Amino acid sequence: MKFTEEQHAFRDSIRRMVERHVAPIAAEIDETDRFPRELVELFGEMGLMQLWVPERYGGPDGNLTMMCIAREEISRVSPACGSIAGLNTMFIMPLLHFGSEEQRQRFLPVVAKGGVVTAIAISEPQAGSDVSAMTTRAVRDGDSYVINGRKQWCSYGVEADYIVLMARTSAHSGAEGISAFVIEPKKMQGVTFGRHERKMGWRGAPNTPIFLDNVRVPLGNLIGEEGKGFKASMRALDLNRPTIGAQSVGLAQGALDAAVAYARERKQFKRSIAEFQGVQFMLADMVMQIEAARALVYECARAGDEGDWERLNVLASMAKCFASDMAMRVTTDAVQVFGGYGYTKDYPVERMMRDAKLAQIFEGTNQIQRVVIARHLLA
């Protein structure tokens, strides 16, 4: 990927910020599972959380390439912190593509100011990959909807000021009966949260069940038309999946950098282990896989920036799937290069390996991504 001069400057500014503000707290966040609220404020000041907000609503008018650059650079140190950059994408996109101008004027300038946390709630205990199994219901009652149900795996929902929530508005069993709503969990009665999930990795990025008990949502908070919520969420996911690929590339690059540095320093048989061909071959395979994934991610970003939605749909699945599988292999090999020390928490590669696993699961499992790719190929 050949970056412009502006994109190079943007990347360099992110890299300096990461070294100063993210690297010193990455291990502590993993250890304590603390949500780094200070990064919300910092990223908001830098325009990273609200990158997608158009200039006419007070935002930086960023694009998919910039989002991928930001997430890749931060994820070299911590993908959990990297996900805070562009965190509001999944809230912004449904409003931009399916919301009314009144809704955009109402919500986007608030997000554009920075410091606002948003989330999207799609999955349920029995509705993950099978979105059509969703049971959360929204029933029209005068000039509002009353929502009842439960959501699972809502990243940052417990911290959010606004959540785009999917709920069924008709008895139709398919995705066509799903609608999208903006809820305000800190203001609306009937919204409660369960315990924080105790995750293997990606700690510091809270996942908490949401319980909805007769939550009354104004009619004006329905995004688009009834039954169009699934389509709105799919567009948002198509634009977000490449950034998961970028995070995976950054995470793998961070693991490779650590492995190369360690291989040069570690001595066995009176030589650095970097001099042994077995280790050299591992490092060579790691860098080849990273470069291949990086090229795919930024080709996907280019398609998104050009508005090539048909191509973006399949490339998003490819980029997310290939890059996250790559990150799992590379971080596992990085632990191997470190040997016994790689299995300890004194070094970052064991954390990186744990973090890599989640990228193969969320935003659509890699098995589902392969289904999407195969359907496109065979259509």
Side-chain angles (χ1 to χ4, degrees):
M1 175 69 183
K2 187 176 181 180
F3 292 142
T4 65
E5 186 176 332
E6 179 186 4
Q7 288 166 342
H8 275 294
F10 177 70
R11 185 191 63 184
D12 291 343
S13 69
I14 301 295
R15 195 168 288 181
R16 289 192 298 271
M17 178 275 294
V18 169
E19 184 177 343
R20 182 175 179 183
H21 296 284
V22 182
I25 64 173
E28 178 261 319
I29 288 171
D30 176 70
E31 185 69 27
T32 64
D33 204 12
R34 174 181 69 85
F35 176 60
R37 172 61 68 171
E38 68 270 30
L39 293 184
V40 172
E41 305 303 324
L42 175 62
F43 289 6
E45 292 172 5
M46 296 180 68
L48 298 180
M49 293 194 66
Q50 63 272 41
L51 264 174
W52 274 116
V53 179
E55 191 174 357
R56 66 183 180 276
Y57 301 111
D61 201 24
N63 57 25
L64 186 52
T65 297
M66 292 177 67
M67 187 80 70
C68 288
I69 291 171
R71 285 197 166 182
E72 179 187 345
E73 289 301 321
I74 302 168
S75 296
R76 289 186 182 211
V77 170
S78 168
C81 294
S83 64
I84 299 174
L87 172 64
N88 297 325
T89 300
M90 298 293 283
F91 178 80
I92 295 166
M93 282 303 158
L95 290 171
L96 282 179
H97 292 286
F98 299 95
S100 66
E101 181 59 25
E102 186 276 330
Q103 288 173 332
R104 290 191 282 268
Q105 293 285 353
R106 178 179 162 198
F107 295 114
L108 295 185
V110 177
V111 175
K113 293 178 181 178
V116 173
V117 177
T118 67
I120 188 166
I122 304 174
S123 296
E124 297 179 2
Q126 301 302 322
S129 298
D130 182 12
V131 178
S132 65
M134 187 179 298
T135 59
T136 297
R137 292 296 305 271
V139 178
R140 178 77 178 268
D141 182 24
D143 60 355
S144 62
Y145 286 85
V146 177
I147 302 180
N148 285 279
R150 174 182 173 177
K151 292 295 178 180
Q152 191 77 13
W153 309 118
C154 181
S155 299
Y156 301 98
V158 71
E159 299 285 343
D161 301 287
Y162 304 100
I163 299 174
V164 170
L165 182 135
M166 304 294 160
R168 189 166 296 285
T169 48
S170 78
H172 197 289
S173 60
E176 292 82 3
I178 297 171
S179 302
F181 300 87
V182 176
I183 68 168
E184 300 177 56
K186 296 178 181 179
K187 295 180 180 179
M188 294 177 174
Q189 294 185 346
V191 181
T192 56
F193 296 91
R195 74 174 181 113
H196 288 253
E197 299 293 348
R198 298 165 60 216
K199 304 194 300 291
M200 176 173 69
W202 217 284
R203 292 163 60 79
N207 289 91
T208 313
I210 305 175
F211 300 97
L212 304 120
D213 183 15
N214 290 323
V215 179
R216 189 166 290 274
V217 180
L219 183 62
N221 285 31
L222 171 69
I223 300 176
E225 304 172 20
E226 278 197 10
K228 302 299 182 183
F230 181 75
K231 187 176 181 181
S233 66
M234 289 303 100
R235 174 64 58 82
L237 285 168
D238 281 346
L239 287 162
N240 204 53
R241 279 176 181 144
T243 71
I244 305 302
Q247 286 183 263
S248 298
V249 169
L251 175 60
Q253 185 68 58
L256 174 63
D257 293 345
V260 168
Y262 183 82
R264 285 172 171 159
E265 294 174 3
R266 173 68 169 169
K267 296 286 195 299
Q268 289 289 277
F269 307 103
K270 299 180 181 180
R271 299 160 63 189
S272 73
I273 64 171
E275 295 181 47
F276 293 105
Q277 191 177 66
V279 173
Q280 291 174 354
F281 281 7
M282 289 179 69
L283 297 175
D285 284 340
M286 292 161 76
V287 73
M288 283 191 290
Q289 294 173 63
I290 291 169
E291 289 299 334
R294 182 177 284 121
L296 180 56
V297 164
Y298 286 102
E299 175 61 18
C300 179
R302 187 175 68 84
D305 292 341
E306 293 176 353
D308 189 348
W309 300 116
E310 182 176 354
R311 194 155 179 264
L312 174 67
N313 174 257
V314 67
L315 283 178
S317 290
M318 289 180 180
K320 188 269 182 186
C321 183
F322 183 81
S324 58
D325 282 350
M326 175 278 298
M328 193 73 250
R329 289 192 298 270
V330 167
T331 54
T332 301
D333 282 349
V335 171
Q336 189 72 19
V337 170
F338 273 75
Y341 291 110
Y343 204 65
T344 71
K345 292 195 174 186
D346 295 324
Y347 293 89
V349 289
E350 67 84 28
R351 165 167 55 87
M352 291 171 166
M353 187 176 76
R354 289 186 284 107
D355 285 343
K357 186 60 203 174
L358 181 60
Q360 294 180 300
I361 298 171
F362 77 156
E363 296 283 342
T365 67
N366 283 4
Q367 286 71 31
I368 289 294
Q369 303 314 314
R370 287 177 167 85
V371 170
V372 172
I373 295 164
R375 284 178 178 172
H376 178 86
L377 181 65
L378 299 171

